[in-house]
């Protein structure tokens, strides 16, 4: 993905709805197995995104966060969210539309909504794959860590962005 990519005019970012659980799971799995597979082993990828999910639990998690869905021509092609404690928890884009500004549109919306909710910034646990994109969005690496998922160790990065006052929009991310 390039940082100057503009999303297509027919891209809509909207709030998550209960019926989006299956579509967002499929995007998640496609992104992990497609895009992230260049940075992790096959065993790590399978642990991260197994063949099936408890859809009710997935739905509960998406609903518990402030989740946004990217729809292109009516199809779900990405999603992202942030939690009440200031964590950008998930950001996934289907590999078929990678590099077309979908992630940028999602992150822009999430940052705007988090600032409007009074957050002073956001944190993220970024994968090796996502780290460069988050750096372009203005996030800085705070620490490198290992996360354990279903018995597999996956390297990721604790990153954060701090918002600062901006007279035109209320708050804006600081350039990192």
């Amino acid at each position: 993905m390039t940082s100057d990519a503009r999303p297509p005019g027919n891209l809509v970012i909207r709030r998550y709805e209960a019926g989006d659980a299956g579509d967002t799971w499929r995007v998640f799995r496609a992104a992990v197995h497609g895009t992230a597979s260049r940075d992790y082993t096959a065993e790590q990828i399978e642990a991260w995104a197994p063949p099936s999910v408890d859809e009710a639990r997935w739905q509960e998690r998406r609903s518990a966060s402030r989740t946004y869905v990217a729809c292109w021509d009516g199809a779900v092609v990405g999603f992202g969210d942030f939690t009440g404690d200031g964590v950008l928890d998930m950001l996934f884009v289907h590999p078929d539309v990678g590099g077309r500004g979908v992630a940028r549109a999602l992150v822009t919306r999430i940052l705007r909504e988090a600032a409007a909710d009074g957050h002073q910034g956001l944190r993220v646990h970024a994968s090796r794959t996502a780290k460069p994109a988050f750096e372009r969005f203005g996030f800085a690496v705070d620490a490198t860590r290992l996360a354990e998922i279903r018995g597999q160790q996956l390297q990721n990065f604790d990153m954060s962005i701090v918002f600062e006052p901006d007279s035109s929009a209320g708050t804006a991310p600081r350039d990192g």
Side-chain angles (χ1 to χ4, degrees), residues 52-69:
S52 63
V53 67
D54 177 340
E55 198 165 299
R57 189 165 178 242
W58 180 264
Q59 158 68 17
E60 183 178 306
R61 187 169 175 198
R62 301 286 61 75
S63 295
S65 298
R66 191 81 166 272
T67 304
Y68 295 91
V69 176

Side-chain angles (χ1 to χ4, degrees), residues 2-79:
T2 60
S3 62
D4 61 349
R6 297 226 184 267
N10 50 353
L11 180 72
V12 174
I13 306 295
R14 62 167 173 77
R15 289 293 299 265
Y16 176 87
E17 299 168 357
D20 293 327
D23 289 336
T24 54
W25 169 256
R26 284 185 285 281
V27 166
F28 168 77
R29 194 158 195 289
V32 172
H33 282 263
T35 310
S37 66
R38 69 178 181 256
D39 295 312
Y40 296 95
T41 68
E43 294 79 17
Q44 290 170 321
I45 292 296
E46 196 59 33
W48 188 3
S52 63
V53 67
D54 177 340
E55 198 165 299
R57 189 165 178 242
W58 180 264
Q59 158 68 17
E60 183 178 306
R61 187 169 175 198
R62 301 286 61 75
S63 295
S65 298
R66 191 81 166 272
T67 304
Y68 295 91
V69 176
C71 298
W72 190 346
D73 289 336
V76 174
V77 296
F79 71 99

Side-chain angles (χ1 to χ4, degrees), residues 29-174:
R29 194 158 195 289
V32 172
H33 282 263
T35 310
S37 66
R38 69 178 181 256
D39 295 312
Y40 296 95
T41 68
E43 294 79 17
Q44 290 170 321
I45 292 296
E46 196 59 33
W48 188 3
S52 63
V53 67
D54 177 340
E55 198 165 299
R57 189 165 178 242
W58 180 264
Q59 158 68 17
E60 183 178 306
R61 187 169 175 198
R62 301 286 61 75
S63 295
S65 298
R66 191 81 166 272
T67 304
Y68 295 91
V69 176
C71 298
W72 190 346
D73 289 336
V76 174
V77 296
F79 71 99
D81 65 21
F82 70 96
T83 64
D85 61 349
V87 175
L88 195 160
D89 186 37
M90 295 195 125
L91 177 66
F92 292 92
V93 173
H94 197 285
D96 290 349
V97 297
R100 298 185 187 175
V102 176
R104 176 159 294 284
L106 283 163
V107 170
T108 298
R109 176 74 178 266
I110 289 167
L111 294 177
R112 185 177 72 230
E113 296 294 333
D117 280 0
H119 290 278
Q120 301 300 307
L122 288 177
R123 300 177 317 281
V124 66
H125 306 297
S127 67
R128 288 181 192 150
T129 309
K131 178 182 173 271
F134 279 111
E135 288 173 328
R136 287 190 298 271
F137 297 138
F139 285 77
V141 173
D142 299 317
T144 301
R145 66 186 200 119
L146 287 176
E148 184 170 329
I149 302 175
R150 295 177 190 87
Q152 292 291 316
Q153 298 283 322
L154 285 79
Q155 181 186 46
N156 66 15
F157 303 88
D158 289 340
M159 301 179 77
S160 61
I161 189 169
V162 177
F163 304 148
E164 62 184 27
D166 176 88
S167 59
S168 65
T171 59
R174 269 187 211 156

